[in-house]
Amino acid sequence: MRVGELSKKSGVPVATIKYYLREGLLPAGVLTSPNQAHYDDEHLRRLRLVRALMDVGGLSIAAVREVLAAVDTREGSLHKKLGAVQEAISQPAAVELDPLAVEDVQAFFARQGEAECVDVTESNVTHMLASALSSARSVGHDHFRELLDPYLEGLKIIARADVEYIARFGSRDDIIEAMVVGTLVGDTVLKAVRRLAHAQVSREVIGDVPES
Amino acid sequence: MRVGELSKKSGVPVATIKYYLREGLLPAGVLTSPNQAHYDDEHLRRLRLVRALMDVGGLSIAAVREVLAAVDTREGSLHKKLGAVQEAISQPAAVELDPLAVEDVQAFFARQGEAECVDVTESNVTHMLASALSSARSVGHDHFRELLDPYLEGLKIIARADVEYIARFGSRDDIIEAMVVGTLVGDTVLKAVRRLAHAQVSREVIGDVPES
């Protein structure tokens, strides 16, 4: 298909497609004449993924490039590839790490029987966790670490639903795309539904009594 | 205490405190001489809350003002006040709402036996949820809505832990501060722990087999 049809099928304006091409986020089409390139379904799929990363995930061009590099790696198991993509879509905040928060993360790993977490900054995910606990400690909430275990308990139910959602897709590329969209959209859905659950539970526990 | 001691006790630089005073995020101290103001523990507490909102939550000055207005309202039950503060710390993304995503949210409320949700934009929380589902639909993930029920199931465990965490604080102000910090730090902790749970569950379901 030509760029106009690619735009129509994807809902992405031609100017944006050309921008993605210039930035190397979309591979060039096959030239059929000096001024005309031909695109196929692989371009359409890639375009959808780029759009999901930028619009849904709010990722920068540099972060999108990192994700695509992980997606395009030809080696490793699907599990490892999903792990690499997950790293790319998990950027920790630029917060100074509190050594006690690092210990909180390490103790959490030990309680879960996970491999020892010597350097939390080796993975973006553990780095993100240590950053958040450092922020909590910086405003006097040292005990926030006690929520890690009940959080994991609830998140296992959620993660199982997530993995079942992506496992229904057939091809490796579709699975990876579903994982990216599901992780990023899911972050926001979780934020919102958590607040709805707060309202429900807080009505039960604190009660809706008039101010004394 | 003088501004220097307030800075020392809070860990917030004097220049930053003066900035907060100018922006009206911190009430003025009591003047003890034309050039000297006196601050008390209420200032210290407020300073900690402002810092949590800006540093932990990444809120703008305008959003911080909105939260403080909700905190300072003298009327309503604690439950209602917590709800108002929660609204202020929940800003939906500027995404065009898909009418089908709005229906997804309304159907979710109906399934939960919650009050009918006629206008999702009336609350920031339901608006956030409808925005996220609209984003998912825009990249072809209409079925993401099916995750709402298992998400709520897991989040009820998490919300119960959250509410128990804030209920251990004594005064209304401490409860509100803990709710703000817990909600904002919790958002990031959930993101990180969800990814750890993904890795665990995906190892079980998809398996770590070599590429064929």
Side-chain angles (χ1 to χ4, degrees), chain A residues 26-59:
Chain A
L26 201 62
V30 177
L31 284 182
T32 50
S33 81
N35 279 316
Q36 206 156 84
H38 181 86
Y39 301 91
D40 59 20
D41 284 347
E42 275 308 302
H43 288 94
L44 187 59
R45 172 201 302 282
R46 175 54 50 105
L47 195 49
R48 246 177 50 183
L49 179 57
V50 170
R51 225 184 129 213
L53 289 166
M54 302 195 68
D55 294 359
V56 181
L59 266 64

Side-chain angles (χ1 to χ4, degrees), chain A residues 69-148:
Chain A
V71 169
D72 290 337
T73 309
R74 283 274 145 238
E75 57 208 30
S77 65
L78 177 56
H79 177 69
K80 280 208 179 109
K81 205 158 169 173
L82 288 172
V85 173
Q86 183 163 271
E87 274 290 298
I89 56 174
S90 310
Q91 299 300 329
V95 169
E96 207 187 325
L97 292 184
D98 180 332
L100 292 172
V102 170
E103 281 177 28
D104 292 342
V105 174
Q106 289 166 332
F108 175 57
F109 267 64
R111 282 199 302 282
Q112 298 306 322
E114 289 277 338
E116 201 184 352
C117 180
V118 180
D119 178 6
V120 293
T121 63
E122 242 181 33
S123 142
N124 281 342
V125 175
T126 48
H127 193 170
M128 185 192 277
L129 183 55
S131 296
L133 293 174
S134 297
S135 294
R137 281 182 172 273
S138 75
V139 288
H141 284 264
D142 307 4
H143 288 279
F144 198 80
R145 65 175 184 276
E146 292 162 20
L147 292 175
L148 291 176

Side-chain angles (χ1 to χ4, degrees), chain A residues 123-192:
Chain A
S123 142
N124 281 342
V125 175
T126 48
H127 193 170
M128 185 192 277
L129 183 55
S131 296
L133 293 174
S134 297
S135 294
R137 281 182 172 273
S138 75
V139 288
H141 284 264
D142 307 4
H143 288 279
F144 198 80
R145 65 175 184 276
E146 292 162 20
L147 292 175
L148 291 176
D149 291 352
Y151 274 20
L152 180 62
E153 194 193 334
L155 284 163
K156 276 185 182 166
I157 296 173
I158 289 160
R160 189 160 294 276
D162 282 335
V163 171
E164 280 166 7
Y165 178 76
I166 67 166
R168 60 167 97 164
F169 291 89
S171 74
R172 287 170 72 95
D173 283 350
D174 284 343
I175 287 179
I176 289 167
E177 199 231 35
M179 186 269 214
V180 167
V181 174
T183 301
L184 296 173
V185 171
D187 283 341
T188 305
V189 170
L190 282 179
K191 270 174 74 166

Side-chain angles (χ1 to χ4, degrees), chain A residues 76-77 79 90 114 141 146 151 160 162 165 168 182-183 187 194-195 198 200 202 204 208-209 211, chain B residues 76-77 79 90 114 141 146 151 160 162 165 168 182-183 187 194-195 198 200 202 204 208-209 211:
Chain A
S77 65
H79 177 69
S90 310
E114 289 277 338
H141 284 264
E146 292 162 20
Y151 274 20
R160 189 160 294 276
D162 282 335
Y165 178 76
R168 60 167 97 164
T183 301
D187 283 341
R194 176 173 174 233
R195 285 155 171 73
H198 278 165
Q200 281 188 5
S202 133
E204 291 165 31
D208 196 359
V209 292
E211 180 142 349
Chain B
S77 66
H79 177 68
S90 309
E114 289 277 337
H141 284 263
E146 292 163 20
Y151 274 20
R160 189 160 295 277
D162 282 334
Y165 178 77
R168 59 167 97 165
T183 301
D187 284 340
R194 176 173 174 234
R195 285 154 172 73
H198 279 164
Q200 281 188 5
S202 133
E204 291 165 32
D208 197 358
V209 292
E211 180 143 349

